[in-house]
Amino acid sequence: MTISTHADTSVDPALFRSRLMMSGINKTFGRNAVLTDAGIEVLPGEIHGLLGQNGSGKSTLIKILSGLYRPDGEDAVIRVDGTDVVQPITPVGVMSQGVTIIHQSLGLIPGHSVTENIRLGTLSGRRFGRFIDWSYEREQARLTLERMQSDIDPDRLVDLLHVGQRATVAIARALQVIVPGSGCVVLDESTQSLSREVLPEFYGTIRQLARQGTSIVLVSHRLDEVLTLADRVTILRDGRVTAAGVATHGMSEAQLSKEILGRQLIAFNRVEKMAIPDAEPFGAREPAVRLRGVTGEVLRGVDIDVHAGEVVGVIGATEAGHEELPYVITGAHSSTAAGSIEIHTAIRDLAELRVSQSLADGVVLVPTDRAGQGLALGETAISNVSLPRVRDKSRHGILRAAWQKEEFSAACAMLNISPPDPDQLAASFSGGNQQKLLLAKWLLQKPRFFVLHEPTQAVDVGARADILRAISAIAAEGVPVLVSSIEAEDLSLICDRIIVLQDGQNSRELTRPFTPEQVQEAIG
Amino acid sequence: MSTTLSASRPPEQSAARSLRRRITSRYGIVVVWIAMSAIFAALAPQTFLTFGTFQTIFGSQSTLVFLGMAAVCIFVVGEFDLSIASMMGLSATVLAVLVVNQGVPEWLAVIIALVVGAAAGAVNGFVIVRLGIDPIVTTLGMSVLLLGVAQAISNLVAVTGLSFGLANLAVYNILGLPLAFYYGLIVAIIFALVLAFTPLGRHMTFVGANREVARLSGIPVQRIRYGAYVFSGLSSAVAGVLLAASVGGFDSSTSGSYLLPALAATFLGTAVVRPGTFNPIGTLITIYFLVTGIVGLQLLGYSSWVSNVFYGAALIIAVTISTIARSRLLRR
Ligand SMILES: Nc1ncnc2c1ncn2[C@@H]1O[C@H](COP(=O)(O)OP(=O)(O)OP(=O)(O)O)[C@@H](O)[C@H]1O
Ligand SMILES: [Mg+2]
């Protein structure tokens, strides 16, 4: 074929080459231009990274693809396999054209079982008037989960699952409808909360799908993941495409992060913390917090000491207990707990502990479930951030605006929250900026013991450094800090000590210095 | 409309637009109210444009106002209460029966009536908050149960004969309007201030917005939910006392007819002042808006069925509007 024959045909053959084509996408919320002439082109069978800082418009682009938002103006073109998607776009419509989307919020239906969530779309396709055969559906759900190497109980309510398990269910649900060799799967930061052991398996599944000809769009802030998986990347910066379909071959993480941020990343550096006078090692001092015999659904008698100014990391494989620990020791867990926490000579029985008591002792928890436990998304950003302090900071029972505004602008400056608009609803912030709001809410509480669960989830490489810095700064003021996370790299950067849990019990303890690889290895 | 706002539009112009949109979305109902009044005034100038009509509209709704405040309080914290009208009916009946049949001093009877209402709310709270039973089921049951109790103590007849002295508590005239109007106005304003400017109000809002987030922020969630049910009972009891006092008695079988108007006004109130949220001032405005429509239509010769049609339609329209307002706020 020659170039001239291309020019003669009325249809651009490139249309047939691409699996998914979006171009000329504009979107404005109020006066805030979120996408400007944005787009993406994904080839059949390719894994395509969609990258950009928090708030750069990735999720918005995907929501436009699924019909949740409508693009502004008339220039928008959205094609799947060369055909325009049916307007107006509906989630069911694009799905029937082969596009499966896993949104950042996962989109599971609370109050329903794993089976119901996985089989919902398929159930409704059945003939009217027939009863649902639940044992069949349960078996199908189990098989679907097996593809994800998961043994989640299909009868469990999704509300009771860990965030990682929820992501697994959402992905399993999406994968079951893929016809091998066709279609396109969009994963909006779906891997962030998957547990580490299933990741290699999951990457295998993704690669396999791509080899068979299904296209994958991968939104992720984990650049190592992007570089190992993706063939090409499209990068958004402030809603504009700054790199369209650039091949990742031979790119380094540093190069990629510079492309994303538009500047060199100032990496988090432990030296900043070492600057504080730190005469004796933590081991020689009295611990500030003693956790004894911590027991919960998974945990079976874990003991941990945390010293003033020390950052202790807790890590483990799935169901090792590190997911449960932060909630049990702060009284946030609803089911039975046992053991005790001793802080500043006060000893609390974990079976009786309430969050309000815990907060009164100065124990502050940053939960991982942003939408469920962290923020009321339907309320404004500023009221979410100031919430824990409204009683103590009100004089004569009057809630004043001044201190809240002060707090909020301090938070925006510290964590680079964008947009720094206090009166926007939390729901209208991007995923990463919501995470920053959540951290701000609790950083401002001046904790005496700071407990965090996956503090850097959903944030971009720049914000990750900001958050690690903020946690270290709190510790540098002499606050004991406990971080539960599956991010070996984060832990190895900020922790003085890392405790590895296994089957709900202390298994190993690592003391500085350690590398991410050593931490990963210790999990086994 | 929102999609036509493009980035190239000069900011002042879109600022003006957004201001205009804010006003229409917040006070749209006030505009409709004025327009509606103008139409009635044009169609029935002799009857509608009189001080009597004004007094009918603003002097007769304090029962609904207090029921509306009960409903707002319940909805703000994310709960539900279908028993407000029955709690009101029970308190009104208790007052009438104690004074007229038992000869109890009026002041004491008023206090007992209020305590009865609050106690009924406390029972709701106990069953729903402590025992964890579904609020709709519980309060539906309570609603029928309390109606039955009120009918029992009144022997299924209307009890009348309360004194003028007691009536003055509600109907004493200031600037042409009865005291009860001012009670409602004051309570709505105080309630609105509490919601907007106190820690309690902020806590209530978050308990309604996301109970788990509230709990993890150290807010006494259970106490606030419980308190809302007690307040609901108390506010309903005030409604009952004012009603019985102003008309001199009460017929226990009529209480059911107050539920729907109160709920309709509360839901429609979410379209006013603070779009998408339950709020006292919005509810107050809506109550007087709705009654203006009904009085106007009745003056034009439509009989009493219009109020049912009007309140029913208002409820449906209200829920539709507030749903749209809420999603607008997000998709703006
Ligand atoms: N419903 C909305 N109303 C107003 N602004 C919104 C809305 N949804 C998104 N935005 C704004 O659009 C911008 C882009 O958001 P988007 O969620 O697309 O970012 P993102 O690239 O997915 O970021 P992240 O990596 O944090 O998930 C943000 O500044 C956000 O505040
Ligand atoms: Mg996003």
Side-chain angles (χ1 to χ4, degrees):
Chain A
M1 237 188 249
T2 61
I3 303 290
S4 61
T5 50
H6 282 275
D8 293 340
T9 49
S10 53
V11 186
D12 183 356
L15 297 184
F16 295 107
R17 275 216 328 259
S18 57
R19 171 63 45 78
L20 171 67
M21 220 276 282
M22 297 176 77
S23 70
I25 311 283
N26 293 296
K27 182 70 191 169
T28 308
F29 289 110
R31 268 176 289 158
N32 181 7
V34 171
L35 290 174
T36 312
D37 196 22
I40 187 171
E41 187 187 12
V42 184
L43 302 177
E46 99 169 317
I47 303 179
H48 196 113
L50 175 58
L51 309 180
Q53 269 174 281
N54 293 134
S56 57
K58 306 177 296 293
S59 297
T60 306
L61 189 65
I62 290 166
K63 283 177 187 162
I64 285 175
L65 175 61
S66 72
L68 284 175
Y69 294 149
R70 240 175 335 135
D72 301 344
E74 305 299 320
D75 309 333
V77 177
I78 304 176
R79 295 202 181 105
V80 178
D81 288 322
T83 27
D84 284 308
V85 295
V86 189
Q87 294 286 349
I89 306 176
T90 63
V92 178
V94 285
M95 200 185 229
S96 70
Q97 286 184 271
V99 180
T100 314
I101 298 170
I102 303 162
H103 289 288
Q104 197 163 5
S105 55
L106 299 182
L108 298 181
I109 304 162
H112 290 267
S113 72
V114 171
T115 303
E116 287 170 299
N117 267 283
I118 289 181
R119 300 296 294 169
L120 189 66
T122 4
L123 289 178
S124 57
R126 287 210 166 185
R127 204 148 24 99
F128 192 64
R130 240 206 282 158
F131 288 104
I132 297 166
D133 178 357
W134 280 113
S135 60
Y136 168 80
E137 299 296 343
R138 193 176 301 116
E139 185 56 20
Q140 290 301 310
R142 202 184 55 74
L143 288 174
T144 311
L145 285 167
E146 219 162 59
R147 279 178 72 180
M148 289 290 299
Q149 302 293 307
S150 162
D151 57 356
I152 299 169
D153 177 6
D155 290 329
R156 244 189 127 119
L157 288 182
V158 289
D159 316 47
L160 301 177
L161 300 180
H162 295 305
V163 182
Q165 295 174 315
R166 272 183 235 169
T168 309
V169 170
I171 294 171
R173 178 178 64 179
L175 293 188
Q176 70 177 346
V177 299
I178 299 286
V179 181
S182 70
C184 181
V185 186
V186 182
L187 298 154
D188 191 353
E189 292 185 51
S190 320
T191 58
Q192 57 163 337
S193 49
L194 286 183
S195 66
R196 281 309 121 91
E197 318 89 89
V198 309
L199 272 187
E201 201 68 44
F202 177 67
Y203 293 159
T205 313
I206 294 286
R207 285 209 182 88
Q208 163 103 31
L209 276 173
R211 256 198 308 279
Q212 289 171 341
T214 300
S215 303
I216 314 281
V217 176
L218 185 72
V219 179
S220 174
H221 291 296
R222 236 182 235 157
L223 301 186
D224 53 341
E225 172 181 280
V226 172
L227 285 177
T228 51
L229 281 180
D231 305 305
R232 299 192 304 149
V233 293
T234 292
I235 298 176
L236 292 176
R237 201 186 298 154
D238 297 329
R240 290 170 202 271
V241 176
T242 55
V246 174
T248 55
H249 189 74
M251 237 193 230
S252 72
E253 257 185 65
Q255 274 172 314
L256 196 53
S257 80
K258 188 169 171 224
E259 282 296 321
I260 292 170
L261 299 177
R263 60 177 162 88
Q264 205 78 44
L265 172 68
I266 306 163
F268 171 77
N269 188 346
R270 239 194 92 83
V271 178
E272 296 169 36
K273 190 184 165 195
M274 280 313 181
I276 45 158
D278 196 7
E280 37 179 351
F282 290 116
R285 283 188 260 147
E286 274 291 292
V289 178
R290 286 194 177 94
L291 304 171
R292 289 291 173 268
V294 178
T295 302
E297 258 180 72
V298 181
L299 291 165
R300 284 187 286 140
V302 167
D303 299 336
I304 297 175
D305 287 341
V306 189
H307 299 83
E310 185 183 31
V311 182
V312 173
V314 181
I315 197 167
T318 318
E319 294 289 311
H322 61 287
E323 308 103 324
E324 194 185 15
L325 185 80
Y327 307 94
V328 172
I329 63 174
T330 53
H333 214 270
S334 44
S335 74
T336 49
S340 67
I341 176 172
E342 180 185 341
I343 171 166
H344 303 282
T345 69
I347 302 182
R348 307 281 174 217
D349 180 0
L350 293 182
E352 318 257 278
L353 187 64
R354 293 289 174 83
V355 178
S356 43
Q357 174 67 61
S358 192
L359 275 171
D361 290 340
V363 182
V364 165
L365 165 71
V366 179
T368 179
D369 183 2
R370 252 194 331 268
Q373 301 191 306
L375 301 172
L377 294 180
E379 299 296 323
T380 59
I382 190 169
S383 65
N384 267 292
V385 168
S386 61
L387 182 64
R389 290 167 295 284
V390 292
R391 194 173 13 201
D392 294 342
K393 288 222 180 181
S394 300
R395 238 174 291 142
H396 312 300
I398 305 293
L399 185 55
R400 290 182 200 282
W403 66 266
Q404 299 182 62
K405 290 215 174 95
E406 241 164 66
E407 264 195 9
F408 190 79
S409 31
C412 288
M414 175 171 56
L415 295 174
N416 205 357
I417 294 171
S418 145
D421 178 356
D423 298 320
Q424 268 204 25
L425 300 188
S428 69
F429 282 75
S430 79
N433 282 299
Q434 286 176 15
Q435 179 67 16
K436 295 186 214 167
L437 289 176
L438 172 59
L439 272 155
K441 168 180 174 182
W442 291 114
L443 277 168
L444 291 163
Q445 181 75 3
K446 306 252 178 301
R448 295 172 74 189
F449 177 34
F450 203 25
V451 181
L452 304 100
H453 191 197
E454 301 298 354
T456 59
Q457 60 173 325
V459 301
D460 63 43
V461 278
R464 170 172 300 237
D466 291 340
I467 289 173
L468 296 182
R469 215 168 272 137
I471 295 172
S472 294
I474 286 254
E477 288 168 19
V479 175
V481 178
L482 186 138
V483 186
S484 163
S485 175
I486 52 174
E487 303 281 352
E489 183 160 353
D490 288 354
L491 291 187
S492 69
L493 281 173
I494 54 169
C495 292
D496 299 291
R497 209 147 44 89
I498 295 179
I499 289 164
V500 182
L501 297 184
Q502 200 177 356
D503 299 328
Q505 287 171 316
N506 297 62
S507 140
R508 292 188 57 184
E509 182 167 325
L510 311 175
T511 320
R512 284 208 81 77
F514 30 60
T515 63
E517 293 72 31
Q518 285 167 330
V519 176
Q520 200 64 56
E521 231 164 70
I523 304 171
Chain B
M1 173 164 93
S2 52
T3 49
T4 58
L5 258 185
S6 79
S8 55
R9 203 180 295 277
E12 320 84 66
Q13 198 179 335
S14 65
R17 267 182 92 122
S18 88
L19 182 69
R20 196 163 63 221
R21 192 158 65 202
R22 246 165 73 161
I23 290 175
T24 48
S25 76
R26 285 178 184 215
Y27 299 103
I29 218 172
V30 178
V31 176
V32 176
W33 192 5
I34 293 169
M36 190 172 74
S37 305
I39 292 172
F40 288 138
L43 292 178
Q46 281 87 5
T47 45
F48 189 78
L49 279 184
T50 59
F51 192 64
T53 304
F54 177 79
Q55 280 180 317
T56 312
I57 289 171
F58 287 96
S60 61
Q61 299 300 307
S62 51
T63 304
L64 271 192
V65 170
F66 279 92
L67 286 178
M69 293 308 120
V72 169
C73 178
I74 284 288
F75 290 142
V76 163
V77 301
E79 298 291 318
F80 209 87
D81 193 345
L82 289 171
S83 65
I84 48 174
S86 292
M87 293 191 290
M88 177 219 63
L90 180 64
S91 297
T93 308
V94 165
L95 174 63
V97 167
L98 284 182
V99 174
V100 177
N101 299 0
Q102 311 290 327
V104 174
E106 285 174 340
W107 63 270
L108 183 60
V110 166
I111 290 174
I112 293 174
L114 295 181
V115 169
V116 164
V123 172
N124 278 333
F126 179 79
V127 175
I128 293 162
V129 179
R130 287 290 136 77
L131 306 182
I133 311 298
D134 180 72
I136 295 184
V137 176
T138 307
T139 57
L140 185 62
M142 273 297 269
S143 156
V144 179
L145 187 146
L146 295 180
L147 176 66
V149 172
Q151 287 172 332
I153 58 180
S154 65
N155 281 322
L156 285 169
V157 295
V159 183
T160 53
L162 292 171
S163 74
F164 284 117
L166 188 62
N168 267 337
L169 188 68
V171 300
Y172 183 83
N173 195 310
I174 297 177
L175 300 175
L177 290 173
L179 261 183
F181 168 80
Y182 299 100
Y183 297 154
L185 187 66
I186 290 167
V187 168
I189 289 172
I190 291 177
F191 191 6
L193 292 175
V194 166
L195 280 180
F197 298 111
T198 69
L200 175 65
R202 183 64 61 80
H203 285 181
M204 288 171 69
T205 308
F206 271 81
V207 169
N210 187 328
R211 221 182 266 170
E212 188 67 358
V213 169
R215 183 176 73 90
L216 291 190
S217 303
I219 296 172
V221 173
Q222 303 298 77
R223 215 182 313 152
I224 284 178
R225 295 172 64 205
Y226 197 82
Y229 280 106
V230 175
F231 177 84
S232 174
L234 184 64
S235 185
S236 303
V238 173
V241 168
L242 290 177
L243 181 61
S246 60
V247 301
F250 189 68
D251 178 355
S252 59
S253 58
T254 61
S255 61
S257 63
Y258 288 85
L259 179 63
L260 191 93
L263 293 185
T266 312
F267 277 107
L268 195 52
T270 64
V272 197
V273 187
R274 299 190 58 214
T277 48
F278 292 100
N279 69 88
I281 302 296
T283 302
L284 187 78
I285 291 177
T286 309
I287 286 171
Y288 291 111
F289 161 74
L290 287 174
V291 74
T292 305
I294 288 162
V295 169
L297 288 172
Q298 284 173 347
L299 289 178
L300 289 182
Y302 298 93
S303 58
S304 58
W305 55 261
V306 298
S307 74
N308 283 341
V309 172
F310 208 73
Y311 281 128
L315 181 63
I316 296 169
I317 293 168
V319 176
T320 312
I321 290 178
S322 64
T323 311
I324 293 171
R326 199 74 196 159
S327 66
R328 264 279 177 77
L329 220 57
L330 265 181
R331 294 188 177 204
R332 197 170 27 153

